[in-house]
Amino acid sequence: MRVLEEDFKSFELGPFPYDAEHSAMGEYHYYPNPGYCGQWFDPIADWSFRGPTWLISNADMDGGHCMEQMRITEPAPRKAIPCLRAGDVMWEDYTVSVKVRAMIDDHFNGILFRYQTSMMHYGFFLVPGGVELHKVIKTERTVLAHADAVWSPDEYNILSVSLNGSSIRCSVNGKVVIEYSDNTYGEGCIALCACRPTRYRDVCVEMTDAQFKAYSSKKSDWEKAETIASKSHKPAKLWRLIDLKDFGAARQIRFGHLTGTDEWFFVMCQNQRKVYKDRYPVISCMTAVSVDTGKVLWQIGEPCDSPEIEKLTTDLPFQIYDIDGDGIDEVITSWNFRLMILDGRTGEVKKSIPTPLNEAAPETVTGLEFGMYAFNRLNVDAIRIVNVSGNARPEEILIKDRYSRYWIYDRDLNLKWEFSKYNTGHFPYSYDYNGDGKDEIFSCYNMVDSNGKLMWSLPIDTDHTDEIIVGRFSPDQDERLAIVSGWEGFMIVSKDGEIIHRDINGHGQRISCANYCPERTGFEIATTTYWGNNGIVYLHDCNGNEIWHREMLSNGNVIAPLNWDGNGKELIWMSPHEGAFDGQGHHVLVLPDDGHPEMCTEVINLTGDSRDEIVVWDRHSLYIYTQDGEAEKDPRGEYRPFKYPEYNGSNYRGEYSFPNWVK
């Protein structure tokens, strides 16, 4: 029985859908590549690529179509190889065959099978002088077997792999060349994969009746379990719909109480990108809106309804917080090279100072584009509210440049201190790690005390930390840091800088921690990847050991803890497109099919009960969803978990939700 067949004739000639800008939008936006993909998905996102990776071509001049991989890629442990996947990861035993024409006798070009992610699979390849069977486990590639074979870049060869349990049988043009036994991967789909330009035609996956019956039974059991799991969660219903008119933006939003009451407001900022890519964005319009009524409270700047507004892939410098303790939230922002505190009720400036002068030698500033300053004063990248003075509540403001320096000011905008060492990462984390009542600052790999002195650094000097969370992940552990640091991996670190666990499982982009699996000891840690091997979600136990992994077929997965049921078991919220998964990996919650936006999302408790709402938006409209039904009564009381405070919003904050029951 054929379970997949592809001759690529359903595709028009031209590029397979790709991100023409090779941008970071997909890190935290659902931003699909436009165009027809058929049954195929490209899981690789590489900023260094220009133009498409895959091309539907009629290059063979016989009336047929081929899928052609066009990149020249040097294989390396932390370098993604172009691949294009299809099929079901629940396939176990099958035979896959494909016509392959490697256009040059160099490196490896062929097919992947029992493909679980772009970092976990087997591969059968044409290589110089023969063929090879590979196994890939994250950054480790192993050649399991090699066989001599004669093949030419001038013609197609039929590569075929037959799988039966641990038995792997590889053939070229109908002749068995490799037989091998390995049980690392027992299931997975297929993918095209090549390091050099290669053409593919006539892809076919077949199963015997017995193989198909076994696969169908397994899939049916999973779907039944998923249906049962889904029914244990309240469906989502629309609670608010707000027209964003001409002031909408992408994921540049903050929530707070701007009038000193319980009423929720959000502030949304539009931007202009200056000088180079997203390195110097500036706020161009700031709009405060009531969540209850959708009415604009105030607006600064000039709104602009343009697709360019959506394309920012960094933070903008603004937070909502009662910095002066008068019971009314202010908006702390940087605009036109000034650090400002705005009255939350009116948007009027209460206090303002110029941002710091760019006085450091340019060669000492990490990530400075073109090795020189663009402006005399700092163009602020992000803002965080901290407490380095041991006050009863946070009253200091941290500002930073893109990758190198940060400064801390008191609530009256007096400079307290500044710090720079190698890299800041995207969003430094403030926490009282040593129990002295004052925040220390962990930024990138550096722990800095409340006076701005370096305490320790991790022994790493490449890449940077994308997201950070801190907590007691298990009852029998001290507090620890959990971080994702690009190709330096996912790490769990002690408060004194010891790396307790490390897994380089792709370019670590996002991280969250919650009680996703209450039946397990401690809390679970979810991570996801972006650059290179895109969209791989991992769930780990409290010690960092992997529980399961899944390659998502879309970008923008924020993996935020979602307190949907109020029963102490959190869901993993992916995106408006994907919905939510439980700790067992079941897809258990989707939003209504009502035309809602899918680009941006946030999880926040807005209705006043103990459970979270789901906010989704694009630049035109914002929808808020809540539960269709009351929370079940629990003898433990009301579940109100400790979450990341709203006053420190960022596209680069690791999310956490730690249990808290209130009688």
Side-chain angles (χ1 to χ4, degrees):
M1 176 180 295
R2 292 189 173 182
V3 295
L4 184 148
E5 193 169 11
E6 180 65 81
D7 61 8
F8 303 109
K9 288 186 178 179
S10 66
F11 289 85
E12 295 183 358
L13 296 180
F16 186 85
Y18 73 106
D19 176 9
E21 295 190 17
H22 302 284
S23 76
M25 281 292 291
E27 289 180 355
Y28 40 78
H29 301 91
Y30 173 63
Y31 202 70
N33 299 327
Y36 172 71
C37 295
Q39 57 192 326
W40 299 88
F41 177 74
D42 182 354
I44 307 301
D46 194 323
W47 64 270
S48 66
F49 286 172
R50 292 295 177 266
T53 301
W54 298 89
L55 180 73
I56 298 89
S57 170
N58 61 351
D60 295 318
M61 302 177 66
D62 61 357
H65 287 181
C66 65
M67 181 67 77
E68 188 164 355
Q69 197 289 113
M70 300 187 297
R71 298 288 176 210
I72 297 175
T73 302
E74 288 299 312
R78 302 186 187 187
K79 178 67 175 177
I81 307 300
C83 57
L84 195 64
R85 63 170 278 182
D88 192 336
V89 291
M90 286 192 179
W91 288 348
E92 293 181 321
D93 295 339
Y94 54 88
T95 297
V96 54
S97 64
V98 59
K99 291 181 180 177
V100 181
R101 182 181 174 187
M103 305 304 293
I104 186 171
D105 184 359
D106 193 12
H107 279 300
F108 52 86
N109 311 277
I111 55 173
L112 309 181
F113 57 94
R114 284 188 177 162
Y115 173 109
Q116 298 183 3
T117 76
S118 61
M119 297 191 76
M120 304 180 79
H121 52 256
Y122 297 106
F124 181 41
F125 300 108
L126 298 171
V127 299
V131 293
E132 287 180 348
L133 174 64
H134 291 193
K135 177 170 66 177
V136 175
I137 304 178
K138 297 177 182 174
T139 58
E140 180 183 350
R141 178 178 295 272
T142 303
V143 178
L144 299 178
H146 174 93
D148 293 335
V150 177
W151 61 272
S152 169
D154 295 328
E155 60 188 12
Y156 282 93
N157 291 273
I158 300 175
L159 300 187
S160 178
V161 179
S162 293
L163 304 167
N164 186 14
S166 62
S167 173
I168 303 171
R169 177 177 290 186
C170 304
S171 303
V172 178
N173 299 324
K175 180 182 178 181
V176 177
V177 290
I178 291 175
E179 292 187 87
Y180 198 87
S181 180
D182 189 272
N183 58 10
T184 302
Y185 301 126
E187 61 182 8
C189 60
I190 61 111
L192 316 179
C193 178
C195 295
R196 295 290 187 267
T198 301
R199 296 177 188 172
Y200 293 90
R201 297 186 65 166
D202 300 332
V203 184
C204 180
V205 179
E206 297 179 295
M207 294 182 183
T208 65
D209 290 344
Q211 289 171 342
F212 185 75
K213 182 178 179 181
Y215 156 68
S216 298
S217 176
K218 179 180 180 180
K219 181 135 181 117
S220 177
D221 289 346
W222 177 264
E223 290 174 343
K224 289 176 183 176
E226 199 165 63
T227 298
I228 293 171
S230 298
K231 289 180 178 179
S232 68
H233 306 286
K234 297 287 191 297
K237 68 175 182 180
L238 184 64
W239 181 63
R240 292 284 188 274
L241 195 166
I242 297 174
D243 182 1
L244 299 179
K245 301 179 176 63
D246 58 355
F247 59 80
R251 209 164 182 266
Q252 303 293 344
I253 194 170
R254 305 287 186 266
F255 291 87
H257 302 283
L258 296 178
T259 58
T261 68
D262 290 336
E263 182 179 3
W264 280 103
F265 292 83
F266 66 84
V267 171
M268 185 167 280
C269 284
Q270 295 182 335
N271 75 93
Q272 289 185 318
R273 295 182 289 173
K274 297 188 175 183
V275 182
Y276 180 72
K277 292 186 177 179
D278 293 352
R279 293 299 189 260
Y280 297 100
V282 298
I283 295 173
S284 57
C285 181
M286 178 181 288
T287 308
V289 183
S290 167
V291 169
D292 286 340
T293 66
K295 292 182 179 179
V296 173
L297 180 66
W298 50 260
Q299 186 177 78
I300 305 172
E302 180 180 348
C304 175
D305 184 18
S306 165
E308 286 300 310
I309 295 297
E310 297 176 345
K311 296 178 182 179
L312 184 65
T313 65
T314 68
D315 274 339
L316 284 175
F318 69 113
Q319 300 291 359
I320 298 177
Y321 181 63
D322 181 13
I323 194 71
D324 58 13
D326 67 353
I328 303 171
D329 282 350
E330 286 77 41
V331 177
I332 298 96
T333 187
S334 178
W335 198 330
N336 194 27
F337 304 104
R338 298 192 70 83
L339 178 60
M340 300 184 289
I341 298 175
L342 310 181
D343 190 315
R345 297 163 295 189
T346 64
E348 294 177 353
V349 177
K350 297 176 71 173
K351 295 178 182 178
S352 173
I353 61 168
T355 59
L357 292 167
N358 281 314
E359 296 177 316
E363 63 271 15
T364 68
V365 179
T366 302
L368 188 62
E369 298 300 336
F370 312 113
M372 63 187 72
Y373 292 116
F375 305 110
N376 191 48
R377 290 193 177 273
L378 175 70
N379 188 73
V380 177
D381 174 73
I383 293 174
R384 184 183 181 93
I385 308 303
V386 302
N387 184 3
V388 297
S389 297
N391 299 314
R393 56 194 297 278
E395 292 184 355
E396 282 109 14
I397 301 165
L398 180 153
I399 66 174
K400 64 182 286 288
D401 65 4
R402 183 64 179 154
Y403 285 121
S404 189
R405 302 162 292 168
Y406 62 87
W407 297 254
I408 292 182
Y409 295 82
D410 67 18
R411 70 181 199 174
D412 294 316
L413 303 185
N414 298 305
L415 179 65
K416 294 184 70 69
W417 50 266
E418 61 182 275
F419 180 83
S420 179
K421 183 179 186 296
Y422 171 58
N423 200 306
T424 61
H426 284 299
F427 197 56
Y429 198 100
S430 54
Y431 188 78
D432 181 12
Y433 296 88
N434 60 12
D436 66 353
K438 303 176 184 180
D439 283 349
E440 288 73 46
I441 310 293
F442 182 75
S443 64
C444 196
Y445 309 126
N446 305 309
M447 184 68 79
V448 178
D449 73 13
S450 56
N451 296 310
K453 305 301 183 184
L454 180 66
M455 298 171 66
W456 52 260
S457 297
L458 295 178
I460 303 170
D461 59 4
T462 59
D463 220 315
H464 58 255
T465 295
D466 285 278
E467 292 192 350
I468 307 160
I469 51 179
V470 174
R472 184 171 279 110
F473 306 136
S474 180
D476 59 351
Q477 297 173 354
D478 195 2
E479 292 164 308
R480 295 174 172 178
L481 298 89
I483 64 178
V484 281
S485 302
W487 274 110
E488 293 299 335
F490 158 55
M491 289 175 270
I492 296 178
V493 180
S494 73
K495 291 192 295 185
D496 59 4
E498 176 192 359
I499 298 176
I500 298 169
H501 175 85
R502 188 177 188 183
D503 185 11
I504 300 176
N505 56 13
H507 179 105
Q509 189 65 47
R510 302 197 67 96
I511 190 168
S512 69
C513 180
N515 208 13
Y516 294 127
C517 305
E519 68 278 7
R520 288 179 171 268
T521 299
F523 310 135
E524 290 68 49
I525 301 171
T527 65
T528 189
T529 64
Y530 190 66
W531 293 113
N533 309 91
N534 179 27
I536 306 174
V537 175
Y538 298 91
L539 189 67
H540 313 265
D541 68 15
C542 59
N543 296 307
N545 302 304
E546 185 181 315
I547 301 172
W548 52 259
H549 57 262
R550 173 175 299 187
E551 184 176 86
M552 306 301 294
L553 301 183
S554 64
N555 55 22
N557 296 293
V558 297
I559 59 169
L562 175 63
N563 172 26
W564 190 249
D565 301 295
N567 62 6
K569 180 178 181 178
E570 308 269 350
L571 302 179
I572 307 171
W573 177 247
M574 297 291 183
S575 72
H577 179 75
E578 292 288 353
F581 289 75
D582 66 15
Q584 286 68 46
H586 296 125
H587 191 197
V588 295
L589 180 68
V590 294
L591 297 180
D593 184 12
D594 56 5
H596 60 77
E598 293 191 318
M599 186 172 68
C600 305
T601 189
E602 191 74 82
V603 169
I604 183 173
N605 181 4
L606 293 172
T607 63
D609 69 2
S610 62
R611 298 171 295 174
D612 288 332
E613 277 64 57
I614 300 166
V615 186
V616 302
W617 73 96
D618 58 16
R619 79 175 194 274
H620 296 126
S621 58
L622 181 144
Y623 289 49
I624 304 175
Y625 293 91
T626 192
Q627 300 80 9
D628 190 1
E630 298 297 321
E632 303 294 334
K633 296 293 184 182
D634 195 295
R636 292 169 291 184
E638 190 174 39
Y639 183 68
R640 291 186 173 271
F642 297 112
K643 292 208 167 196
Y644 216 119
E646 288 85 11
Y647 59 75
N648 274 328
S650 172
N651 289 323
Y652 302 103
R653 71 179 200 180
E655 300 290 353
Y656 60 82
S657 186
F658 296 135
N660 178 48
W661 291 93
V662 179
K663 287 288 187 181

